[in-house]
Amino acid sequence: MTDGEFRARKIDTGKRKYWENEEIRSKKIYSGIKKYEENEIYRDNMIHAGIQKYQEDENYRDTLIDYGIHKYQEDEDYRKALIQSGIEKYKDDNEYREKLKQASIHKYEADKYANDDAHRIKIKQQTSVRRESLQEENKQISEVIRKFKDEVKKGPECVCACCLRLFFEKQVQICKKDSYDNSIFDSVTTNKYEHKCTDDCKTNCAFEGTCRTSLWICYTCHRKMLKGKIPADSFSNSLLLEDVPVELKRLNSIEQQLIAQNIPFMKIMALPKGGQKGVHGPVVCVPSDLKKVTSILPRSEDESLLLKVKLKRKLNYKGYDKYQFVRPNHLEQALLYLKDQNIWYKDVTINNEWINPIPELDDNQVVNE
DNA sequence: CAAGTTTACGGTGACTTAGG
DNA sequence: CCTAAGTCACCGTAAACTTG
């Protein structure tokens, strides 16, 4: 038996004894109380550990608070003592007194709106005047344009923590976890797009002062979560775009075409304004015969083999559309990946017999030549 | 195509905060 | 204290979008 096991067993039997034997329990409690009273260091340690646990352990804190509330309601002596100590503290502790006073003023102000009719009407009046003047201001088209330009000055840079869409700052708000039901918040949001400075950041972090340092939430997701529902557009609804795996990412355009099952043809035009491009007319997908690539393409044991490939629009044309190097090794890796991950590729067979070994030359031969 | 659903957004009352 | 400005939740609605 190891020391650890022995210790664990000792603790276990000790615990069992404590709970099963009433006499031992009362003795233990009594000696604990006595030690607490007599031993100053022990007392300090206990108090310190208690405070720390209170601060760190949410459950412990909640149960203690619950216990306190319960005791306050049930135990008259405790209640009286607490009230008395409150009075004392108010007398002696300046800071506490000020804090209480402020809270009281605050409460008065808060209740005033509900209780004082005249005050309420006044506030409403003020609000409506304020909003009317704003409306008046917005009748000036130049003012509206100025405001609009101001709002879109920065461009859509804010990422919603839930649907991960890009928004203008006006369309989002700071995402506060406390506003929502805890049970869904963690699963439907991510702080992937919130930049937190680490040691890697230079003294002037590039993100400093930009919207990337905050976590945002768009109003649509915000409202859905307030109702305790999962926002439809949340990335967690299997809407997350995964990173393109390296096997596919490293393919150049001609390599991509060689292993594509369908090659789409479309007419892309520059739209009149804004520098965007648009698809004009229908998109035609032409099925491509993969067998030619998997069986005919020369392959070699040498992983760094490069092939020059010309892509023609038609075989008997002289000219070509694309002329690039193709890395058969990368093609094979990509096909193996797709065979494994993509159901449309599961029947693809790679011809392993078509291997062209490069004849090995020994050094003497090379020298002689 | 009509009916239903969702989204964006302005309007409103009820607070809260900043600053004198 | 007070005022002005800001914030928040909620509601209604036009427009966009989906469904049958």
Side-chain angles (χ1 to χ4, degrees):
Chain A
M1 195 188 297
T2 65
D3 283 358
E5 278 171 29
F6 182 73
R7 195 180 307 129
R9 223 172 63 173
K10 265 281 180 198
I11 291 172
D12 212 46
T13 46
K15 269 187 189 167
R16 212 172 37 239
K17 252 191 199 166
Y18 180 86
W19 287 112
E20 280 168 7
N21 190 327
E22 203 173 313
E23 201 180 324
I24 289 182
R25 189 161 67 236
S26 59
K27 259 190 191 166
K28 273 262 173 212
I29 292 173
Y30 178 72
S31 75
I33 291 171
K34 211 161 171 204
K35 192 174 177 188
Y36 185 87
E37 279 169 358
E38 286 169 4
N39 185 335
E40 205 172 313
I41 297 169
Y42 177 74
R43 188 166 61 234
D44 282 352
N45 281 344
M46 281 287 261
I47 291 172
H48 190 73
I51 290 171
Q52 192 165 0
K53 192 171 181 191
Y54 186 86
Q55 283 166 351
E56 284 169 8
D57 185 340
E58 208 171 306
N59 286 335
Y60 177 72
R61 190 163 58 232
D62 287 349
T63 40
L64 261 198
I65 291 172
D66 269 0
Y67 173 77
I69 291 171
H70 197 70
K71 194 170 179 188
Y72 187 89
Q73 284 166 349
E74 307 276 306
D75 186 339
E76 200 175 321
D77 289 341
Y78 175 75
R79 190 163 61 235
K80 276 183 183 163
L82 212 62
I83 292 171
Q84 192 56 42
S85 87
I87 293 170
E88 299 283 326
K89 195 173 178 188
Y90 189 86
K91 258 194 240 162
D92 300 338
D93 187 338
N94 248 329
E95 203 177 314
Y96 178 72
R97 190 164 57 239
E98 282 311 310
K99 213 168 130 188
L100 264 199
K101 274 188 188 169
Q102 284 303 320
S104 158
I105 289 169
H106 201 243
K107 186 159 170 26
Y108 173 77
E109 281 297 316
D111 289 349
K112 196 174 171 186
Y113 190 89
N115 299 333
D116 185 340
D117 283 354
H119 178 249
R120 188 171 57 245
I121 290 165
K122 197 174 149 198
I123 293 280
K124 277 192 192 178
Q125 191 92 47
Q126 280 173 353
T127 314
S128 85
V129 166
R130 194 173 99 211
R131 282 169 177 165
E132 263 169 39
S133 70
L134 193 70
Q135 257 181 356
E136 201 58 40
E137 201 177 279
N138 284 345
K139 281 181 183 164
Q140 295 287 325
I141 189 68
S142 56
E143 186 59 21
V144 177
I145 291 172
R146 191 194 63 74
K147 281 181 187 165
F148 172 75
K149 283 189 174 165
D150 197 48
E151 275 165 12
V152 299
K153 182 171 63 187
K154 278 169 96 179
E157 293 178 338
C158 303
V159 182
C160 171
C162 181
C163 61
L164 307 187
R165 289 182 294 170
L166 268 182
F167 287 98
F168 286 98
E169 202 165 337
K170 193 191 183 250
Q171 298 172 292
V172 292
Q173 61 184 65
I174 297 276
C175 184
K176 291 178 200 145
K177 188 175 177 176
D178 304 342
S179 312
Y180 315 109
D181 185 352
N182 259 336
S183 60
I184 61 163
F185 183 85
D186 288 328
S187 57
V188 303
T189 62
T190 170
N191 52 11
K192 191 174 151 192
Y193 293 96
E194 182 190 12
H195 176 77
K196 287 227 173 74
C197 278
T198 59
D199 295 341
D200 295 340
C201 294
K202 306 215 171 74
T203 37
N204 285 322
C205 175
F207 289 124
E208 209 175 271
T210 71
C211 59
R212 284 297 301 277
T213 53
S214 314
L215 191 63
W216 302 97
I217 185 99
C218 75
Y219 287 100
T220 304
C221 294
H222 166 73
R223 271 187 283 256
K224 268 282 141 70
M225 283 206 288
L226 281 179
K227 288 182 190 167
K229 291 180 183 164
I230 295 171
D233 287 342
S234 170
F235 73 91
S236 60
N237 285 335
S238 302
L239 294 172
L240 190 63
L241 293 177
E242 302 285 343
D243 288 339
V244 179
V246 63
E247 288 91 338
L248 302 181
K249 205 154 69 179
R250 64 186 175 189
L251 300 182
N252 63 31
S253 65
I254 203 166
E255 287 168 341
Q256 283 174 22
Q257 283 199 31
L258 282 175
I259 62 160
Q261 302 254 16
N262 291 286
I263 298 176
F265 289 88
M266 62 195 92
K267 195 168 167 188
I268 297 174
M269 317 195 43
L271 294 174
K273 278 181 182 173
Q276 292 188 14
K277 304 244 166 70
V279 175
H280 192 75
V283 175
V284 180
C285 289
V286 178
S288 157
D289 188 7
L290 262 182
K291 275 213 179 83
K292 286 186 180 145
V293 177
T294 56
S295 58
I296 296 174
L297 199 71
R299 309 238 307 284
S300 159
E301 286 165 334
D302 184 2
E303 290 191 350
S304 57
L305 174 76
L306 288 176
L307 291 176
K308 277 182 173 178
V309 173
K310 285 180 183 171
L311 196 73
K312 290 183 179 178
R313 286 182 204 276
K314 213 173 170 188
L315 259 185
N316 50 5
Y317 283 0
K318 263 189 179 172
Y320 49 84
D321 183 42
K322 273 181 181 158
Y323 181 28
Q324 270 181 317
F325 283 107
V326 163
R327 297 156 292 187
N329 183 45
H330 282 188
L331 284 185
E332 190 184 345
Q333 301 279 318
L335 281 170
L336 286 175
Y337 175 85
L338 288 168
K339 232 173 112 66
D340 190 37
Q341 302 283 333
N342 186 324
I343 56 160
W344 303 107
Y345 279 83
K346 74 175 197 298
D347 294 330
V348 169
T349 50
I350 298 169
N351 176 12
N352 279 318
E353 281 158 27
W354 189 271
I355 286 183
N356 315 41
I358 296 174
E360 293 225 10
L361 305 170
D362 62 43
D363 290 351
N364 295 333
Q365 224 175 330
V366 175
V367 171
N368 293 340
E369 278 167 3

